[in-house]
């Protein structure tokens, strides 16, 4: 099984466009929904991901200012 750092790298590469949490869970991270929500919540709190303004539970890589 892949470690946490590898999973975060895979996730961030895939989220250039908004992706629904179910797709992230089933096809990108391949972990349970609870683990996916926990991981996304942490990345959102760190400002790395953000919920898309176009749909509930769609996530995208946060835009960096600068």
């Amino acid at each position: 099984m892949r470690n946490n750092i590898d999973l975060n790298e895979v996730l961030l590469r895939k989220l250039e466009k908004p992706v629904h949490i179910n797709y992230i869970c089933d096809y990108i991270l391949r972990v349970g929904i609870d683990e996916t929500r926990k991981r996304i919540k942490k990345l959102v709190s760190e400002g790395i991901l953000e919920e898309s303004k176009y749909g509930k539970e769609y996530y995208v890589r946060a835009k960096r200012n600068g």
Side-chain angles (χ1 to χ4, degrees):
M1 183 168 190
R2 297 178 280 186
N3 65 32
N4 287 340
I5 294 171
D6 291 341
L7 287 176
N8 284 345
E9 289 175 10
V10 168
L11 178 60
L12 292 176
R13 278 184 269 150
K14 300 287 185 178
L15 294 180
E16 294 297 324
K17 295 181 182 178
V19 177
H20 193 266
I21 192 167
N22 288 336
Y23 186 89
I24 295 169
C25 174
D26 294 340
Y27 299 104
I28 299 174
L29 296 179
R30 297 181 184 183
V31 297
I33 191 71
D34 292 333
E35 176 65 24
T36 301
R37 286 184 198 282
K38 180 179 162 184
R39 186 176 303 277
I40 288 174
K41 184 177 179 179
K42 183 175 189 281
L43 292 171
V44 167
S45 71
E46 292 174 358
I48 297 170
L49 292 182
E50 61 188 16
E51 189 168 10
S52 174
K53 62 183 177 184
Y54 298 111
K56 184 170 173 58
E57 294 195 323
Y58 280 82
Y59 294 92
V60 67
R61 193 176 219 176
K63 304 291 185 224
R64 302 262 181 198
N65 292 332

